[in-house]
Amino acid sequence: MGGMNSRVWMGCGAVAWTLGLAGCGDSTGTTDASAGATQGSTGASVGSATDSPATGSSDGPTTTPTSGNSESNGMTTTDGPTTAGPTSTTVDPSATGTSDPTATGTSAGTTSGVLPDTTSTSVGPDSSSGASSSSSSTGEAPPCEPGDGMGMGMVEKSYIWIASQNTSDVSKVDTKTMTELARYRTGPSGNESPSRTAVSADGRFVVVNNRQTGRSTMIAANAEDCPDKNGNGMLDSSQNKNNLLAFGADECVRWSITLPFLGAWDDGPRGVTWTAGHWDYDQCKYVEPKVWIGYMSNAGGETVHLIRVDGETGVIEQTIPVPGWNGSGFAPYGAALDPAFRPWFSSLRGEFVRVNTDQNPITITRYTPPGNVQSYGFTVDKDGNPWFGGNCGPVTVFDTKTQQYVNVPGLNGCWRGVAADEKYVWVANNSPCGFAQIDRATRTLIKNWNTNPCSTAIGFSIDAEKFVWLVDQGGWAWKFDPENVGGMMKVDVLGQHYVYSDMTGGQLNSVLPQ
């Protein structure tokens, strides 16, 4: 692990070094690595999770300390359905409940400094797990339950946050008016290479991950959440797409932390997801949301750190090490939340993990899919099933009930971002340029669509009104009604966009009680 010149991978049938990327993938220019396995077979093939435990062999889950040896990093291909055997790992208590002492935090308008120690005596479940963990202080019947009047339609303001990797900023676009309202710098260097963005369930906040510098930055969407840091009695913040303030001067940038990553752009934070928080009966809403972020740690070896961050303050509350990470040399590539409020992290053509925040102590479950199952784009649908956009391979869903991998027939390609709504799964394609519409229930292709123009279709997201958004790397995005795809509308957004994540909060809202 380490330098950018040291890694070789396979992608789209070609071999490339890190500084000579080819084919479909991620780089500092247009694509992350085109790494991976050879193209999988077409048709609906079904395999099983075949993780091998850290020691010995077993078809069932095993529990071992995270400080011990990790399981095999290889991907095993199976010929047919078998009983899955994911590896379950208990988090070392000494590694939980503590902020990463080497992470630095900055607030806009202040200087960088070491985050305060947030050592906790508890190593219990994530407080954001579960639908309701606070009862009414009045002793009377709770005034409301999660899902009573809740849902995406209750969001008064809806934004999509589109990062630009070449200009190191992120655009806030009103999804209803299709107007770019503001633009924010994501770090001070001008070479941040922002990529994944994740929006909170109420749409108030976004976290942007910067691959090149290891920085994660949180921005408030609404003026009432932007503190007057300089005390001048007015809001100093971007007012339109051309009003880009210096980093540290925009008061809507609430916090920014630099993580102790291994140093190369492929090690920096990518996968990120919010949790809803816990349900407060008195306020009739979720409160104290958390953010989960994955990055390649500088702790040595192929060790990933999955961290839980206080969404309001940026303080790192918990660090979970994942040694022996199998991800083609990259940090966790994507992230999403399931209906049990458990974060999932995917890799670039390798394993994926579930953080069991509903257990005490927290454990992680590691899955190594068959070799033809690749992951570039990643999401989890409302039934808790992860979907993978196979870059130079099939589109695949992991059925958590049967523990089987199901490839959607007829969809070998160069797939990128994935989003799932009530009825459909949407997957961006680079070969040919366009996207696929998939029936979520039957896991079959409905239609391959084209856009005009189409440069490099990148990321999908579902907005508060359940319109679908497709972001193109060429400098624009498309919005359409899922029942009227042909009526898609285009909005121009400056920059080279490289986004695979929950840019609107739609994935998070899809798994909340409705």
Side-chain angles (χ1 to χ4, degrees), residues 5 82 108 129 166 241 258 262 330 488 496:
N5 297 313
T82 61
S129 300
N166 64 316
K241 64 182 181 181
T258 300
L262 197 53
F330 282 79
M488 63 181 67
Q496 291 182 2

Side-chain angles (χ1 to χ4, degrees), residues 134 279 286 363 482:
S134 297
W279 185 255
Y286 289 99
T363 64

